[in-house]
Amino acid sequence: MTADPDVLLAVEPTSAVDAHTEAAMAAGLRAARAGRTTALTSTSPLLLDQADTVHYLVDGKVAASGTHRELLRTQPGYRALVTRGPGPATEEAR
């Protein structure tokens, strides 16, 4: 019997897979978990784009919440984290 819990917590579920597998996992996540609660920690843009709500944490506290695309537009620190770009301090120095 396979586990199919009502609530699933996943910590960086795509950290040890290749890009093709990560994309497949992200594409199937919403359908596979429909009607149940899934909480995950991740910096994967592919996974975050599938989330209903993303909570951006800074020093263990929620700094902002929204969709992945909203946070990309409005939160420089979030954008730097998930795109692996320069952080806000670096952007301010320009």
Side-chain angles (χ1 to χ4, degrees), residues 9-20:
L9 174 60
V11 178
E12 289 290 350
T14 60
S15 66
V17 299
D18 60 57
H20 177 75

Side-chain angles (χ1 to χ4, degrees), residues 7-88:
V7 177
L8 175 67
L9 174 60
V11 178
E12 289 290 350
T14 60
S15 66
V17 299
D18 60 57
H20 177 75
T21 303
E22 179 180 12
M25 290 172 68
L29 181 63
R30 184 176 291 277
R33 296 293 303 159
R36 290 164 292 171
T37 300
T38 305
L40 59 92
T41 63
S42 183
T43 58
S44 164
L46 293 170
L47 287 177
L48 294 166
D49 198 37
Q50 295 299 313
D52 294 325
T53 304
V54 175
H55 300 290
Y56 169 48
L57 303 178
V58 176
D59 295 329
K61 296 184 171 85
V62 176
S65 296
T67 67
H68 169 65
R69 291 169 192 229
E70 289 169 344
L71 294 176
L72 283 174
R73 270 194 326 274
T74 63
Q75 300 295 315
Y78 177 83
R79 185 172 45 253
L81 178 66
V82 300
T83 63
R84 285 126 178 115

Side-chain angles (χ1 to χ4, degrees), residues 86-94:
T90 304
E91 291 173 3
E92 291 171 5
R94 290 184 190 173

